[in-house]
Amino acid sequence: MEFKALSLLVSDPADFLTATPQKPVVFEECRDAVRSLFTYDDVDDLLSSRSLRIPNVSLLNTSMPAPSRAFADAKFPTEDIADPLAVAAYLQNGYSITFNQLHAFLPPLGELASRLEYEMGCPVEVTAFVTPPGAKALSPHHDTVSTFLCQTEGTKHWKLARPVVSDPHPDERWDWAYLDADEKERVLSGEPDLEVTLQPGMCLWIPRGWVHSAVVDTDSQTSVHLTLQIRRESRYWLARQLVDYLGHIPYLRKDLPARQTTAWSQEEDDTAGFLDTLAKLVASVDTEDFRRYATHQHRSRFRGPKIRPVRDVLESERASPVDAVIRLDGIRGHEWENGILRLHLGGAERSFEGAEAQLLRALIEQEPETALLPIAVQTLGEEEARRFVRVLLALGVASLPQRNQVPQPAESWR
């Protein structure tokens, strides 16, 4: 696999995936590429377009959000559109802008997230923070996902402390109630385990659970940084899939007697009996069938491939798909068995057999950047190759070049 996106962030992508760091690490080998991801101009373009809806944009000051109605455009009260002037006023008063789900409405970042998903095998979401001098968007906290934090404009000073909750589950969001007096002292006033000022182009890896906070110095420029949230699953997630997998069994579906639900800890025999029965149910699980179930659940969490119905589907039906190129970002997994290649495309699947399967398997492994049709013709012949390429275009696994495409700042990583 060619690491087109992950190589933008870390020095050795293959090593990073094999031995993902369990402590924060700073990477700065790809400064120019990181700086181009999201700039002041991108921030202004998003706000000035007057199409950004709340809560895709929010305002924070030390974890306290501004009321959404306070910066909504009064001329469009039912549409929840952010007013650029109102947002600017909050910035002047020390609030930070948060752009949520940025991958969904900024195409270059959407393509970056999709490529990262392909390379890392897990969903990726993108958020941006714009913080004025002297301000702090969030108080110390942990995240329930690991994060690449990419500084693109200005500087920001970060302090990180070892976890209060090790590897927190998705439902274990930050809560000061977790902390006793000593832990609060450590997080708020203790010596940080890592302290770093991120310059434009630097990237900080923060494993989930690590406590972190940041501030922009009063004499610095406005800071802009992206968070690429890497949503990998844990064995806890796998255990929950097992519970769901067993959910059809009548024994588990029946109501508990009322006395047991109100005084469960007193019913030792019932508890022991339940655990014994549950152990037998787990032991009877077909391992391969459960593996398929869990794999499907995992792949269903991804967005599907990017499909352009007019350019890639309709136009390719009328014209020759001669310029089509392979595009693997939308493939969420593939399996090869007995000459059949099964592609997983988010919530959908597609199987290929025979020469088409062999060809597509080679394309996935080699990922050529040249036109797809001449390669397909060598294996399938002219007519079948054209049909094959049109199928891939319709699935989002191949794409035609866009006409009059304006170069984007993130072009360097593609």
Side-chain angles (χ1 to χ4, degrees), residues 19-292:
T20 303
Q22 300 303 302
K23 295 182 178 180
V25 181
V26 176
F27 299 96
E28 49 182 311
E29 290 82 357
C30 305
R31 287 203 172 197
D32 290 341
V34 171
R35 292 186 67 173
S36 71
L37 290 175
F38 190 67
T39 66
Y40 291 140
D41 288 340
D42 294 316
V43 173
D44 285 338
D45 287 345
L46 282 173
L47 291 172
S48 64
S49 68
R50 293 184 181 271
S51 61
L52 208 60
R53 283 180 164 76
I54 303 166
N56 285 333
V57 58
S58 56
L59 297 167
L60 290 168
N61 188 346
T62 320
S63 296
M64 295 298 294
S68 59
R69 302 309 306 171
F71 60 94
D73 195 323
K75 295 190 295 296
F76 304 97
T78 63
E79 297 185 20
D80 287 335
I81 295 175
D83 182 351
L85 291 178
V87 171
Y90 269 97
L91 275 175
Q92 290 174 324
N93 288 318
Y95 278 76
S96 297
I97 310 173
T98 304
F99 294 104
N100 303 300
Q101 301 288 310
L102 203 54
H103 55 280
F105 53 89
L106 199 62
L109 292 181
E111 293 182 16
L112 172 63
S114 183
R115 182 69 196 191
L116 267 180
E117 290 181 338
Y118 175 68
E119 294 174 7
M120 299 192 71
C122 58
V124 176
E125 297 183 1
V126 185
T127 302
F129 292 84
V130 181
T131 306
K136 177 186 290 189
L138 296 166
S139 58
H141 67 286
H142 70 219
D143 294 327
T144 60
V145 295
S146 298
T147 300
F148 282 114
L149 196 153
C150 303
Q151 189 73 25
T152 64
E153 299 274 14
T155 62
K156 204 165 193 180
H157 189 75
W158 289 86
K159 293 183 179 181
L160 298 98
R162 63 185 182 277
V164 173
V165 178
S166 297
D167 300 317
H169 303 317
D171 53 355
E172 291 181 316
R173 297 186 180 277
W174 180 261
D175 189 334
W176 286 100
Y178 293 147
L179 282 66
D180 59 25
D182 290 341
E183 288 177 324
K184 287 182 181 179
E185 176 69 18
R186 174 174 71 85
V187 168
L188 293 174
S189 307
E191 187 73 19
D193 292 276
L194 176 66
E195 188 168 6
V196 60
T197 298
L198 292 186
Q199 306 288 335
M202 295 173 68
C203 180
L204 172 63
W205 167 252
I206 305 179
R208 65 186 171 106
W210 275 76
V211 183
H212 55 280
S213 64
V215 66
V216 179
D217 294 337
T218 55
D219 58 351
S220 298
Q221 292 180 302
T222 297
S223 164
V224 179
H225 80 261
L226 293 173
T227 63
L228 308 178
Q229 300 157 27
I230 312 301
R231 299 186 174 276
R232 298 174 75 172
E233 287 104 350
S234 64
R235 290 179 177 83
Y236 172 77
W237 175 88
L238 193 61
R240 296 190 68 162
Q241 305 315 305
L242 178 59
V243 171
D244 291 340
Y245 177 80
L246 296 173
H248 68 283
I249 296 174
Y251 169 78
L252 296 176
R253 299 173 71 91
K254 292 183 180 299
D255 289 341
L256 290 169
R259 62 182 180 82
Q260 290 184 336
T261 56
T262 56
W264 178 261
S265 61
Q266 299 175 19
E267 301 291 340
E268 294 183 4
D269 291 340
D270 289 343
T271 305
F274 167 73
L275 293 176
D276 182 61
T277 302
L278 182 61
K280 292 176 181 177
L281 290 173
V282 171
S284 69
V285 167
D286 184 310
T287 303
E288 184 59 26
D289 191 56
F290 175 63
R291 186 197 67 80
R292 287 193 294 266

